[in-house]
Short mmCIF file of all heavy atoms in Angstrom, two decimals:
data_model
loop_
_atom_site.label_atom_id
_atom_site.label_comp_id
_atom_site.label_asym_id
_atom_site.label_seq_id
_atom_site.Cartn_x
_atom_site.Cartn_y
_atom_site.Cartn_z
N ALA Y 118 -53.75 30.06 34.61
CA ALA Y 118 -52.93 28.89 34.96
C ALA Y 118 -52.74 28.88 36.42
O ALA Y 118 -52.52 29.90 37.01
CB ALA Y 118 -51.63 29.12 34.16
N ARG Y 120 -50.83 26.43 39.48
CA ARG Y 120 -49.88 25.32 39.77
C ARG Y 120 -49.34 25.64 41.16
O ARG Y 120 -49.25 26.82 41.61
CB ARG Y 120 -48.80 25.28 38.74
CG ARG Y 120 -47.94 26.54 38.45
CD ARG Y 120 -46.67 26.30 37.92
NE ARG Y 120 -45.69 25.89 39.01
CZ ARG Y 120 -44.41 25.72 38.85
NH1 ARG Y 120 -43.81 26.04 37.69
NH2 ARG Y 120 -43.70 25.19 39.84
N LEU Y 123 -44.88 27.54 43.61
CA LEU Y 123 -44.43 28.81 43.26
C LEU Y 123 -44.39 29.78 44.53
O LEU Y 123 -44.46 30.98 44.42
CB LEU Y 123 -45.39 29.50 42.27
CG LEU Y 123 -45.41 28.85 40.90
CD1 LEU Y 123 -46.47 29.52 40.08
CD2 LEU Y 123 -44.12 28.89 40.22
N LEU Y 143 -46.44 33.12 43.89
CA LEU Y 143 -46.71 33.83 42.68
C LEU Y 143 -48.02 33.21 42.08
O LEU Y 143 -48.08 32.01 41.84
CB LEU Y 143 -45.56 33.66 41.78
CG LEU Y 143 -45.58 34.24 40.43
CD1 LEU Y 143 -45.48 35.86 40.70
CD2 LEU Y 143 -44.47 33.87 39.57
N PHE Y 145 -50.84 33.29 38.76
CA PHE Y 145 -51.05 33.84 37.55
C PHE Y 145 -52.68 34.24 37.31
O PHE Y 145 -53.44 33.53 37.90
CB PHE Y 145 -50.75 32.75 36.43
CG PHE Y 145 -49.32 32.48 36.31
CD1 PHE Y 145 -48.83 31.15 36.70
CD2 PHE Y 145 -48.47 33.36 35.92
CE1 PHE Y 145 -47.48 30.91 36.74
CE2 PHE Y 145 -47.06 33.07 35.87
CZ PHE Y 145 -46.68 31.87 36.22
N PHE Y 172 -50.10 29.33 24.09
CA PHE Y 172 -50.54 30.08 25.29
C PHE Y 172 -49.45 30.53 26.14
O PHE Y 172 -48.46 29.75 26.37
CB PHE Y 172 -51.56 29.33 26.14
CG PHE Y 172 -52.04 29.92 27.38
CD1 PHE Y 172 -52.89 30.96 27.42
CD2 PHE Y 172 -51.53 29.55 28.59
CE1 PHE Y 172 -53.38 31.69 28.48
CE2 PHE Y 172 -51.91 30.06 29.75
CZ PHE Y 172 -52.83 31.17 29.74
N ARG Y 173 -49.37 31.75 26.49
CA ARG Y 173 -48.27 32.22 27.39
C ARG Y 173 -48.87 33.21 28.43
O ARG Y 173 -49.92 34.00 28.23
CB ARG Y 173 -47.37 33.07 26.55
CG ARG Y 173 -46.11 33.38 27.38
CD ARG Y 173 -45.02 34.18 26.54
NE ARG Y 173 -43.84 34.55 27.36
CZ ARG Y 173 -43.67 35.55 28.21
NH1 ARG Y 173 -44.60 36.36 28.37
NH2 ARG Y 173 -42.45 35.62 28.81
N ILE Y 174 -48.44 33.13 29.70
CA ILE Y 174 -48.93 33.97 30.70
C ILE Y 174 -47.65 34.32 31.68
O ILE Y 174 -46.73 33.40 31.68
CB ILE Y 174 -49.96 33.16 31.56
CG1 ILE Y 174 -50.74 34.16 32.49
CG2 ILE Y 174 -49.38 31.96 32.19
CD1 ILE Y 174 -51.92 33.48 33.19
N ALA Y 175 -47.70 35.47 32.30
CA ALA Y 175 -46.64 35.84 33.13
C ALA Y 175 -47.09 36.84 34.22
O ALA Y 175 -48.19 37.36 34.07
CB ALA Y 175 -45.56 36.65 32.23
N ASN Y 176 -46.29 36.95 35.21
CA ASN Y 176 -46.76 37.88 36.38
C ASN Y 176 -45.54 38.13 37.24
O ASN Y 176 -44.46 37.53 37.22
CB ASN Y 176 -47.80 37.06 37.25
CG ASN Y 176 -48.49 38.09 38.28
OD1 ASN Y 176 -48.45 39.26 37.98
ND2 ASN Y 176 -49.12 37.61 39.25
N GLN Y 177 -45.65 39.21 38.14
CA GLN Y 177 -44.58 39.58 38.97
C GLN Y 177 -45.20 40.05 40.21
O GLN Y 177 -46.20 40.75 40.25
CB GLN Y 177 -43.78 40.72 38.26
CG GLN Y 177 -42.69 41.31 39.19
CD GLN Y 177 -41.97 42.38 38.42
OE1 GLN Y 177 -42.06 42.59 37.29
NE2 GLN Y 177 -41.09 43.16 39.20
N ALA Y 213 -40.51 38.26 43.07
CA ALA Y 213 -40.55 37.13 42.18
C ALA Y 213 -41.26 37.45 40.85
O ALA Y 213 -42.21 38.28 40.76
CB ALA Y 213 -41.36 36.06 42.89
N ASP Y 214 -40.81 36.80 39.83
CA ASP Y 214 -41.45 36.92 38.48
C ASP Y 214 -41.36 35.52 37.86
O ASP Y 214 -40.51 34.72 38.07
CB ASP Y 214 -40.85 38.00 37.64
CG ASP Y 214 -39.41 37.56 37.21
OD1 ASP Y 214 -39.22 36.88 36.29
OD2 ASP Y 214 -38.42 38.01 37.91
N GLY Y 215 -42.42 35.22 37.09
CA GLY Y 215 -42.49 33.97 36.42
C GLY Y 215 -43.30 33.99 35.11
O GLY Y 215 -44.18 34.95 35.01
N ALA Y 216 -43.03 33.09 34.31
CA ALA Y 216 -43.87 32.89 33.04
C ALA Y 216 -44.03 31.50 32.67
O ALA Y 216 -43.23 30.62 32.99
CB ALA Y 216 -43.04 33.63 31.82
N LEU Y 217 -45.11 31.27 31.90
CA LEU Y 217 -45.48 29.80 31.59
C LEU Y 217 -45.87 30.02 30.05
O LEU Y 217 -46.68 30.82 29.55
CB LEU Y 217 -46.62 29.35 32.28
CG LEU Y 217 -47.18 28.01 31.84
CD1 LEU Y 217 -46.39 26.89 32.11
CD2 LEU Y 217 -48.64 27.89 32.54
N GLN Y 218 -45.26 29.16 29.15
CA GLN Y 218 -45.44 29.17 27.78
C GLN Y 218 -45.75 27.73 27.35
O GLN Y 218 -44.99 26.87 27.57
CB GLN Y 218 -44.22 29.71 26.99
CG GLN Y 218 -44.42 29.69 25.47
CD GLN Y 218 -43.42 30.46 24.71
OE1 GLN Y 218 -43.20 31.72 25.05
NE2 GLN Y 218 -42.70 29.83 23.79
N VAL Y 219 -46.91 27.53 26.63
CA VAL Y 219 -47.41 26.27 26.25
C VAL Y 219 -47.42 26.18 24.70
O VAL Y 219 -48.06 27.06 24.05
CB VAL Y 219 -48.75 25.89 26.79
CG1 VAL Y 219 -49.26 24.64 26.37
CG2 VAL Y 219 -48.80 26.04 28.39
N ILE Y 249 -43.76 22.68 27.26
CA ILE Y 249 -44.07 23.64 28.22
C ILE Y 249 -42.91 24.24 28.95
O ILE Y 249 -42.04 23.41 29.48
CB ILE Y 249 -44.92 22.99 29.32
CG1 ILE Y 249 -46.40 22.45 28.80
CG2 ILE Y 249 -45.37 23.99 30.51
CD1 ILE Y 249 -47.23 21.81 29.71
N ASP Y 250 -42.53 25.55 28.82
CA ASP Y 250 -41.55 26.16 29.30
C ASP Y 250 -41.92 27.04 30.35
O ASP Y 250 -42.81 27.90 30.26
CB ASP Y 250 -40.71 26.96 28.25
CG ASP Y 250 -40.13 26.10 27.09
OD1 ASP Y 250 -39.70 24.91 27.35
OD2 ASP Y 250 -40.24 26.47 25.92
N GLN Y 251 -41.20 26.85 31.62
CA GLN Y 251 -41.43 27.67 32.75
C GLN Y 251 -40.37 28.35 33.16
O GLN Y 251 -39.28 27.79 33.34
CB GLN Y 251 -42.13 26.79 33.85
CG GLN Y 251 -43.37 26.02 33.41
CD GLN Y 251 -43.80 25.12 34.57
OE1 GLN Y 251 -44.37 25.62 35.53
NE2 GLN Y 251 -43.72 23.82 34.40
N THR Y 252 -40.46 29.60 33.65
CA THR Y 252 -39.41 30.39 34.36
C THR Y 252 -39.89 30.93 35.63
O THR Y 252 -41.08 31.22 35.77
CB THR Y 252 -38.93 31.64 33.38
OG1 THR Y 252 -40.02 32.52 33.14
CG2 THR Y 252 -38.38 31.21 32.13
N PHE Y 253 -38.97 30.82 36.63
CA PHE Y 253 -39.45 31.33 38.02
C PHE Y 253 -38.09 31.96 38.57
O PHE Y 253 -37.17 31.23 38.85
CB PHE Y 253 -39.82 30.13 38.73
CG PHE Y 253 -40.40 30.57 40.17
CD1 PHE Y 253 -41.02 31.73 40.41
CD2 PHE Y 253 -40.40 29.61 41.17
CE1 PHE Y 253 -41.53 32.07 41.57
CE2 PHE Y 253 -40.88 29.98 42.46
CZ PHE Y 253 -41.47 31.12 42.69
N ASN Y 254 -38.16 33.28 38.79
CA ASN Y 254 -36.91 34.04 39.27
C ASN Y 254 -37.29 34.85 40.55
O ASN Y 254 -38.42 35.26 40.70
CB ASN Y 254 -36.49 34.93 38.21
CG ASN Y 254 -36.21 34.25 36.91
OD1 ASN Y 254 -35.38 33.34 36.90
ND2 ASN Y 254 -36.80 34.69 35.74
N LEU Y 268 -35.08 29.28 38.62
CA LEU Y 268 -35.53 28.05 38.65
C LEU Y 268 -36.24 27.70 37.17
O LEU Y 268 -37.45 27.53 37.15
CB LEU Y 268 -36.59 27.84 39.77
CG LEU Y 268 -36.00 27.76 41.17
CD1 LEU Y 268 -37.05 27.85 42.23
CD2 LEU Y 268 -35.03 26.56 41.45
N PRO Y 269 -35.50 27.62 36.20
CA PRO Y 269 -36.20 27.35 34.87
C PRO Y 269 -36.64 25.86 34.90
O PRO Y 269 -35.92 24.98 35.52
CB PRO Y 269 -35.03 27.59 33.82
CG PRO Y 269 -33.77 27.32 34.61
CD PRO Y 269 -34.13 27.80 36.04
N ASN Y 270 -37.72 25.55 34.03
CA ASN Y 270 -38.21 24.17 33.79
C ASN Y 270 -38.69 24.01 32.46
O ASN Y 270 -39.72 24.70 32.16
CB ASN Y 270 -39.27 23.96 34.94
CG ASN Y 270 -39.68 22.47 34.99
OD1 ASN Y 270 -39.74 21.86 34.05
ND2 ASN Y 270 -40.02 22.04 36.20
N ASN Y 271 -38.11 23.10 31.73
CA ASN Y 271 -38.52 22.94 30.26
C ASN Y 271 -38.89 21.43 30.22
O ASN Y 271 -38.31 20.53 30.55
CB ASN Y 271 -37.38 23.21 29.36
CG ASN Y 271 -36.89 24.64 29.56
OD1 ASN Y 271 -37.72 25.59 29.46
ND2 ASN Y 271 -35.64 24.84 29.68
#
Side-chain angles (χ1 to χ4, degrees):
R120 53 157 287 194
L123 292 180
L143 183 67
F145 295 114
F172 175 72
R173 187 180 187 277
I174 192 169
N176 195 18
Q177 178 179 346
D214 65 85
L217 171 73
Q218 182 171 301
V219 178
I249 299 179
D250 295 325
Q251 303 178 71
T252 61
F253 187 31
N254 305 305
L268 294 168
N270 189 327
N271 301 310

